Amino acid sequence: MASRIHQLPGSHNVRDLGGLATADGGQVRSGRIFRSDYPGFAEHEGGHLARELGLRTVVDLRRGAEAAFELVDWAALGIAHERWPIVADVESSWHARYAAYLTARPETVVGAVRRVLDPSSQPVLFHCAAGKDRTGVVAALVLGILGVADQDVVDDYVLSDASVAAILARLVEAEPYRERLLTTTWEEQRPRAAGMEQFLEVLHEQGGAQEWLLAHGMTEGELENARLALVER
């Protein structure tokens, strides 16, 4: 798992979803899908680090107020940027009851997953502010479609734990997050396995990632094209 982590200045939680095993004996292709906290690394060295990853598309899961506070000039780097804000009520959002993301605005969850899985978007990076909650939910859906086992999805999720202290130290000083973060603790913000396990349990009650996405507008053709493009055997 550690080899998938990218240590990049300006960000604390960047990693490649490639290399994870799939149920049919394959693995997710490397260098195609990246997840991160706020991708400040793209503002370093004139965008060299973003180009080094080969990024074609960035999918931003943040709300409008967050994007207004800070946003990489992706157009200047020749990289497409789409914002699909994933929301839940405050209590659910900050205390890992991630199933609320599936009901508050499911169309934005589907829009984000669709863009991430679209081969024409790749290499693609998706992110929120910390790269663990909203990003973790999209990662779980993407990996579920590609056939990655639940335990590996959970293990990928908890990799964000190492970055939480540094990310919160930055965000607690930022206007869009200050008030909310002052009412929570570092311990509460840690990505614990139980939070993702709970989300996956709810997802499986609805038929799993594929059935949920099909029920909310994606097509079998889109999902099959994603697997063909992203799983190597």
Side-chain angles (χ1 to χ4, degrees), residues 124-187:
V124 59
L125 177 142
F126 63 101
H127 76 92
C128 55
K132 64 183 181 69
D133 301 316
R134 293 166 288 186
T135 298
V137 166
V138 170
L141 289 164
V142 166
L143 294 175
I145 290 302
L146 299 180
V148 173
D150 282 358
Q151 187 58 57
D152 288 335
V153 173
V154 173
D155 290 345
D156 178 72
Y157 166 75
V158 298
L159 283 177
S160 293
D161 187 53
S163 66
V164 170
I167 290 171
L168 293 186
R170 186 182 85 85
L171 294 182
V172 75
E173 301 299 327
E175 185 60 36
Y177 312 104
R178 184 182 300 120
E179 182 178 353
R180 197 172 297 178
L181 286 174
L182 288 175
T183 63
T184 188
T185 67
W186 174 74
E187 279 294 325

Side-chain angles (χ1 to χ4, degrees), residues 109-129:
V109 177
V110 174
V113 172
R114 173 179 276 124
R115 184 54 58 212
V116 170
L117 287 175
D118 184 350
S120 70
S121 299
Q122 299 157 7
V124 59
L125 177 142
F126 63 101
H127 76 92
C128 55

Side-chain angles (χ1 to χ4, degrees), residues 40-57:
F41 67 86
E43 298 171 311
H44 284 249
E45 302 179 26
H48 168 72
L49 297 173
R51 295 190 186 96
E52 196 170 66
L53 292 180
L55 295 181
R56 181 179 294 179
T57 310

